[in-house]
Amino acid sequence: MGAQPLMRIENLVKHFHVRLGAFGERAATVHALDDVNFDILEGETLSLVGESGCGKSTTGFTLLNLHRATEGKVIYQGKNIVELDEKAMRPYRRQLQIVFQDPYSTLNPRMTIGEAVGEPILFHKLATKAELKDRIATLLADVGLPPRFASRYPHELSGGQRQRVAIARALACQPKFIVCDEAISALDVSVQAQIINLLLDLQQKYGLTYLFIAHDLAVVRHISDRVGVMYLGRLAELATREELFEHPLHPYTKALLSAVPEADPAHERSRQRQILQGDVPSPLSPPSGCRFHTRCPIAMEICGKVVPEWREARAGHMVACHAVTEGLPG
Amino acid sequence: MMMASNIRPEPPAKTGERLLDVKGLTIEIETRTGPATIVDGIDLHVDKGETLGIVGESGCGKSLTMLSMMRLLPNKIKVTKGEANFAGRDLQKMSNSDLRKVRGGDVGFIFQDPMTSLNPVMRIGQQLAEPLIYHRGMSKAEARKRAGELLKLVGIPGAEDRLDAYPHELSGGMRQRVMIAIGLACNPQLLIADEPTTALDVTIQAQIVDLVKDLRDKLGMSVVWITHDLALIAGLVDRINVLYAGTVVEDAPVDALFANPSHPYTQGLLASIPKLSDERSTRLSSIGGTPPEPGRRPKGCPFAPRCPLAEAICHERVPSLEGLGQDGAHRVACFVAQRKLEAA
């Protein structure tokens, strides 16, 4: 691809301070993100995958400065945007958009679709009131909805149509970058395919960059240029889609891939799955050393003691695993 | 700790004997404008020892069909026609007290969301013991012992200690295992699993699918697995029924369904699943439009308005489920598919 980085994430840390116990008498820290480093390249689709609670959504929120980062930098257009206050952030907000999983709870039920899509246009002064109607019609057409939808309310629309509206609203700001936070997870299979196609079309048309947060690996494999695998607040592995799916290095990635079902009965019946036992440990007290060592089939002594370094194992293929570093099979 | 799946016992022998036989079941919902049909004269059956997959998108009636059999429908939704025979008895006509013996006794349930299905203020052990005391007349001590065995059966580590835990103290995967243990408590002849893995992560999902497969083979029960995910059940079920707008549009042995999907809706569903071999950014084939809402069902085939192959007759008449080929095991409700086969 050879594209320039659009965004550079350096040593990003996000801890949430919570109070536990029936009366909130115990203070505790949720280690949601720890020392996360990666670039997002211009025009690419970078996906983050992992189990619930691994920090993939927190990453999306933190790098848009929707959660205040505890430590670290997010460099966008030469500026560390995570240290900006809300006012200084405003010009960047227009360029950096997000689409959520549930469009029903993100759309105001009392606003028509036209109002919802028009609001960011007026806020960022991207069109005059006279131009607004045409602009809304164009945006609705972009996401495959007829102009008459502008006068409808969210409850009159199906889930897929509402997600199209949420995308139109993000597009209204003429963004460079969109975080898709489980944006297609709640949709039915046939509708999901429509929205995936729509996202791919819009990316081509407007040169968008996506950070795609999802747990469905079949979808991720379909749309991504690069894929990052997260486990318990840390990146385990990041590589191009071909590298990651054909030559996964991290034992967690291997286990995750082996759990994905294929639409092939004979293959499914005969396949030898590597099934991970147990659950993800609590982010309140993550395991020492490599956070995966408690469930890892090839864990060594060092894994419980030292945090593995985030390093390039092959060209463009980043991984954090002691076994890979030592060149052991795995 | 990782474990390659080990060798399984042979799946139970299929006798061809009907365990569950649903005929012409129609479900209506009361709306302000009058009753609207949600499930339209559905026929389905499960043989002894058989695992049936029911696949369809949200709102197609897959869960309601199963709930209605057990007469567990919410207010305003009613069965207006049809029968549901379980082991030779019509569940729709059974007395409430007889039916209570079937629910949770001979028929076990696993629901999608264990957090709302488990009682949050009752210990796991009590919830497991309840059906054993009620259906099997066990003493409290016996039931508690059996509850511990059940938790062990579904692979909960430290099972005996967990009996005194409350649901919120367990993870999502563990709670779903507890649900399965409750579903299995009375050695049911039929286990109905309604999207049991939808809320779970892919690694936990794989654990649960393998667990149900093992338990089925060990205990020799029939299973109905309701899902929207065709790939998930590919290796689990014997036969699949594809539902669309409250009717079965295709009924086929699992291999035949994947090798030779015959209804345009099934074809569309399979084509919208991304494949390993796809190049990045190739367009996925998708089905245009959305399913009809209850009360706005089209006159002919319910899929006709979205169907790429629809002809004049499809908008006029409702196709019935007809067998394809010689043994008739693969059935489809589609005029175009049926005609194609006759011509061949």
Side-chain angles (χ1 to χ4, degrees):
Chain A
M1 181 160 285
Q4 292 299 308
L6 179 83
M7 198 178 264
R8 169 160 278 166
I9 290 100
E10 292 175 8
N11 307 96
L12 197 65
V13 176
K14 178 65 198 172
H15 291 171
F16 293 99
H17 298 286
V18 292
R19 304 204 65 87
L20 300 177
F23 303 102
E25 70 278 14
R26 276 183 299 135
T29 305
V30 178
H31 297 252
L33 278 186
D34 265 318
D35 201 14
V36 168
N37 290 280
F38 63 100
D39 289 346
I40 300 171
L41 306 178
E42 202 157 351
E44 79 169 338
T45 301
L46 175 67
S47 293
L48 289 181
V49 299
E51 296 171 276
S52 20
C54 71
K56 52 193 194 297
S57 288
T58 308
T59 306
F61 272 70
T62 310
L63 61 82
L64 294 184
N65 207 358
L66 293 169
H67 285 329
R68 216 10 82 219
T70 309
E71 267 173 59
K73 292 179 184 166
V74 175
I75 309 291
Y76 177 73
Q77 295 181 343
K79 260 236 157 51
N80 178 15
I81 56 171
V82 292
E83 59 182 22
L84 300 179
D85 62 23
E86 204 41 55
K87 197 166 167 233
M89 188 66 202
R90 206 164 286 163
Y92 298 102
R93 288 256 176 266
R94 184 187 67 74
Q95 301 175 24
L96 311 171
Q97 289 291 313
I98 185 164
V99 176
F100 298 98
Q101 173 168 2
D102 177 9
Y104 198 62
S105 55
T106 50
L107 292 173
N108 186 334
R110 295 173 185 223
M111 271 165 103
T112 63
I113 301 309
E115 286 165 353
V117 175
E119 190 183 39
I121 302 178
L122 292 177
F123 180 83
H124 291 291
K125 301 190 176 63
L126 297 169
T128 62
K129 281 216 164 128
E131 297 162 345
L132 189 63
K133 210 178 155 202
D134 281 347
R135 181 79 191 119
I136 292 171
T138 314
L139 285 164
L140 290 181
D142 269 345
V143 297
L145 295 174
R148 63 187 150 84
F149 271 62
S151 56
R152 297 206 179 164
Y153 286 92
H155 74 265
E156 298 175 77
L157 273 51
S158 70
Q161 288 168 338
R162 280 199 287 262
Q163 199 54 285
R164 286 173 191 269
V165 173
I167 294 170
R169 198 172 139 92
L171 283 180
C173 304
Q174 301 167 6
K176 286 196 159 54
F177 174 66
I178 301 181
V179 173
C180 301
D181 187 8
E182 302 274 10
I184 54 159
S185 311
L187 303 172
D188 273 318
V189 190
S190 68
V191 181
Q192 188 174 301
Q194 295 171 11
I195 301 293
I196 292 172
N197 287 340
L198 173 67
L199 287 171
L200 291 171
D201 290 347
L202 293 172
Q203 181 169 45
Q204 276 203 336
K205 192 167 170 189
Y206 295 112
L208 296 168
T209 304
Y210 292 139
L211 179 69
F212 197 85
I213 296 165
H215 63 268
D216 184 337
L217 287 155
V219 170
V220 164
R221 190 171 53 198
H222 186 80
I223 70 157
S224 312
D225 294 298
R226 293 192 303 151
V227 182
V229 180
M230 294 189 73
Y231 185 79
L232 213 53
R234 284 184 191 274
L235 269 169
E237 186 163 7
L238 192 147
T240 61
R241 146 195 133 111
E242 289 79 11
E243 268 284 306
L244 193 95
F245 284 97
E246 304 302 324
H247 310 288
L249 293 174
H250 200 286
Y252 178 62
T253 311
K254 290 180 184 173
L256 203 59
L257 295 182
S258 124
V260 180
E262 280 281 327
D264 178 350
H267 173 78
E268 276 296 303
R269 278 192 292 262
S270 64
R271 90 192 276 182
Q272 294 286 308
R273 277 200 191 131
Q274 287 192 307
I275 291 186
L276 274 185
Q277 297 302 303
D279 293 305
V280 182
S282 164
L284 284 169
S285 52
S288 60
C290 173
R291 290 188 177 173
F292 186 57
H293 84 266
T294 54
R295 297 169 84 197
C296 182
I298 55 166
M300 306 173 292
E301 212 189 325
I302 185 176
C303 301
K305 292 176 181 157
V306 182
V307 178
E309 200 187 333
W310 179 241
R311 59 195 295 276
E312 195 165 17
R314 299 148 69 120
H317 192 147
M318 304 294 291
V319 65
C321 175
H322 290 299
V324 174
T325 306
E326 287 189 13
L328 284 172
Chain B
M1 290 165 290
M2 228 184 257
M3 183 180 78
S5 46
N6 40 9
I7 299 154
R8 297 202 167 82
E10 280 296 303
K14 286 156 207 79
T15 54
E17 199 182 324
R18 292 270 190 278
L19 181 64
L20 179 72
D21 202 356
V22 176
K23 285 183 192 151
L25 197 75
T26 300
I27 304 174
E28 290 183 354
I29 182 167
E30 277 174 43
T31 64
R32 264 183 291 176
T33 52
T37 307
I38 310 176
V39 171
D40 191 15
I42 204 168
D43 291 320
L44 52 87
H45 66 270
V46 185
D47 290 345
K48 277 199 177 141
E50 187 184 40
T51 301
L52 173 72
I54 297 186
V55 177
E57 297 180 277
S58 20
C60 72
K62 52 194 193 297
S63 299
L64 279 182
T65 303
M66 287 301 138
L67 288 175
S68 70
M69 277 172 12
M70 290 295 128
R71 306 216 308 252
L72 291 169
L73 288 176
N75 279 343
K76 297 201 169 174
I77 300 183
K78 288 197 174 69
V79 172
T80 51
K81 260 186 269 166
E83 53 185 270
N85 295 303
F86 175 75
R89 298 158 77 198
D90 187 354
L91 296 169
Q92 299 299 321
K93 296 204 179 97
M94 216 178 250
S95 71
N96 279 332
S97 61
D98 282 349
L99 190 64
R100 269 200 296 276
K101 286 179 194 138
V102 177
R103 291 183 192 141
D106 292 333
V107 179
F109 278 93
I110 314 172
F111 294 104
Q112 176 172 348
D113 182 3
M115 202 54 202
T116 53
S117 316
L118 291 172
N119 187 337
V121 294
M122 210 168 148
R123 295 179 197 274
I124 299 298
Q126 282 174 286
Q127 303 196 43
L128 271 161
E130 206 176 31
L132 294 168
I133 295 169
Y134 182 85
H135 289 293
R136 296 292 179 254
M138 286 189 186
S139 71
K140 270 194 176 171
E142 284 171 334
R144 188 178 164 90
K145 190 165 161 268
R146 175 81 182 128
E149 290 166 12
L150 283 164
L151 286 188
K152 211 175 282 165
L153 184 73
V154 295
I156 291 184
E160 260 97 45
D161 302 332
R162 294 298 180 118
L163 286 174
D164 292 320
Y166 287 99
H168 75 266
E169 296 175 273
L170 303 178
S171 69
M174 285 299 153
R175 283 199 287 263
Q176 196 55 279
R177 283 168 190 264
V178 172
M179 281 294 293
I180 294 174
I182 294 176
L184 295 175
C186 299
N187 288 332
Q189 299 178 53
L190 173 68
L191 181 72
I192 297 176
D194 188 357
E195 305 241 19
T197 64
T198 308
L200 303 174
D201 279 313
V202 58
T203 54
I204 312 293
Q205 179 173 295
Q207 290 176 9
I208 299 289
V209 170
D210 277 22
L211 174 67
V212 171
K213 213 194 262 180
D214 276 343
L215 292 172
R216 170 197 67 191
D217 297 350
K218 237 182 249 166
L219 308 173
M221 61 192 170
S222 305
V223 178
V224 175
W225 188 292
I226 303 172
T227 184
H228 64 272
D229 187 348
L230 269 167
L232 178 70
I233 55 167
L236 173 76
V237 301
D238 301 309
R239 197 157 56 84
I240 292 185
N241 280 359
V242 180
L243 256 65
Y244 185 79
T247 50
V248 176
V249 294
E250 187 158 1
D251 167 24
V254 60
D255 292 282
L257 190 97
F258 281 93
N260 184 24
S262 299
H263 197 282
Y265 177 63
T266 315
Q267 293 166 353
L269 271 187
L270 278 170
S272 22
I273 304 174
K275 312 278 176 316
L276 251 180
S277 49
D278 286 348
E279 285 298 306
R280 167 178 135 78
S281 301
T282 43
R283 291 183 62 85
L284 286 171
S285 69
S286 60
I287 308 172
T290 46
E293 282 167 45
R296 288 196 199 157
R297 300 169 64 82
K299 187 179 162 202
C301 167
F303 187 61
R306 297 175 78 188
C307 183
L309 308 174
E311 299 171 358
I313 185 176
C314 306
H315 295 285
E316 291 301 319
R317 286 176 44 209
V318 182
S320 58
L321 205 54
E322 303 286 346
L324 301 174
Q326 283 170 347
D327 63 348
H330 190 160
R331 301 186 303 154
V332 62
C334 173
F335 292 119
V336 180
Q338 288 161 4
R339 202 193 48 224
K340 246 189 224 158
L341 203 89
E342 274 164 27

